[in-house]
Amino acid sequence: KNQVEQSPQSLIILEGKNCTLQCNYTVSPFSNLRWYKQDTGRGPVSLTIMTFSENTKSNGRYTATLDADTKQSSLHITASQLSDSASYICVVTINDMRFGAGTRLTVKP
Amino acid sequence: GAVVSQHPSRVICKSGTSVKIECRSLDFQATTMFWYRQFPKKSLMLMATSNEGSKATYEQGVEKDKFLINHASLTLSTLTVTSAHPEDSSFYICSASQPGTGYGYTFGSGTRLTVV
């Protein structure tokens, strides 16, 4: 079983709407949890990084939260734009990086 | 911020030939670089960890003779796919560790390899 599970697998929303992506993990404790955005045919780009003790981290319209008790993280995207269409990957780092399978977000006009 | 450059972004080669992919850390020295393979709609799969000046460490199931990794300097690692076959067609991504972290947080832009 994967140690980092993401949901939903895919999501379609209308431009301007908000959405929340989920990441559940089983590994604990960890060094940090990162959210990456990966455009099709490109490498992942870091959006946020949180240490084990942090609860929230924002980067523009992206806000990541972390609940160490429930071992859940979420990535909230506000006022979505067409350019937000991409895969969003949750990565938990222990002594190596554990990747989630990603959520494929499609923003439609 | 840390920048990792990967080249080429796309390559098409004939079966049986070899292809070299370069990964460079542009503004920092990377003691460790990582090579990943990604299948469509799947997450990144670690192939090998490359340390400057020493042999790469390959993940289980990855053929070291097919995927040759060289990390000759602190800013350059190369992945050579030898005697490529159509099943080697994939998206290959590298990442590099910034000093003191040990983790490849910064990724290259990826290379789309198509073997015909």
Side-chain angles (χ1 to χ4, degrees):
Chain A
K1 181 172 166 51
N2 195 6
Q3 295 172 308
V4 182
E5 298 279 354
Q6 289 188 243
S7 61
Q9 195 172 47
S10 62
L11 181 63
I12 301 174
I13 62 173
L14 292 176
E15 185 179 12
K17 298 296 184 182
N18 304 335
C19 68
T20 300
L21 314 180
Q22 298 291 342
C23 174
N24 295 341
Y25 59 91
T26 59
V27 292
S28 181
F30 52 81
S31 298
N32 58 70
L33 185 150
R34 289 182 174 235
W35 283 92
Y36 285 88
K37 178 186 178 186
Q38 184 179 20
D39 292 309
T40 301
R42 306 289 293 175
V45 175
S46 182
L47 295 176
T48 63
I49 173 173
M50 289 181 291
T51 62
F52 189 74
S53 59
E54 292 182 290
N55 300 120
T56 186
K57 186 67 69 76
S58 290
N59 177 5
R61 295 180 297 103
Y62 302 104
T63 299
T65 63
L66 176 62
D67 186 333
D69 291 331
T70 61
K71 298 183 180 177
Q72 293 181 326
S73 177
S74 64
L75 180 69
H76 187 72
I77 304 174
T78 59
S80 61
Q81 301 176 358
L82 298 179
S83 59
D84 291 334
S85 295
S87 288
Y88 291 84
I89 304 172
C90 173
V91 183
V92 178
T93 299
I94 321 161
N95 49 17
D96 56 11
M97 295 172 74
R98 312 288 172 93
F99 292 82
T103 292
R104 176 69 203 176
L105 175 66
T106 303
V107 180
K108 292 194 170 183
Chain B
V3 178
V4 174
S5 172
Q6 191 172 337
H7 179 80
S9 58
R10 292 175 177 270
V11 59
I12 301 174
C13 70
K14 291 184 178 181
S15 289
T17 62
S18 296
V19 174
K20 179 184 287 187
I21 303 170
E22 292 187 348
C23 181
R24 294 181 184 273
S25 57
L26 297 186
D27 50 2
F28 65 99
Q29 292 184 324
T31 54
T32 306
M33 290 187 176
F34 303 84
W35 287 96
Y36 297 85
R37 184 172 181 175
Q38 187 175 32
F39 293 101
K41 299 184 180 180
K42 299 293 184 183
S43 191
L44 284 71
M45 290 172 41
L46 180 65
M47 298 174 65
T49 301
S50 145
N51 292 297
E52 186 267 336
S54 63
K55 289 184 178 180
T57 302
Y58 289 82
E59 295 298 300
Q60 191 173 11
V62 177
E63 298 176 61
K64 60 180 67 176
D65 293 330
K66 165 161 276 296
F67 299 102
L68 299 179
I69 292 172
N70 184 280
H71 194 160
S73 78
L74 285 172
T75 59
L76 174 65
S77 176
T78 60
L79 167 67
T80 301
V81 183
T82 62
S83 187
H85 290 117
E87 56 264 32
D88 297 326
S89 298
S90 191
F91 192 58
Y92 294 88
I93 308 174
C94 71
S95 70
S97 292
Q98 295 169 260
T101 66
Y103 308 116
Y105 292 138
T106 304
F107 290 86
S109 55
T111 297
R112 168 68 60 192
L113 170 63
T114 303
V115 184
V116 297

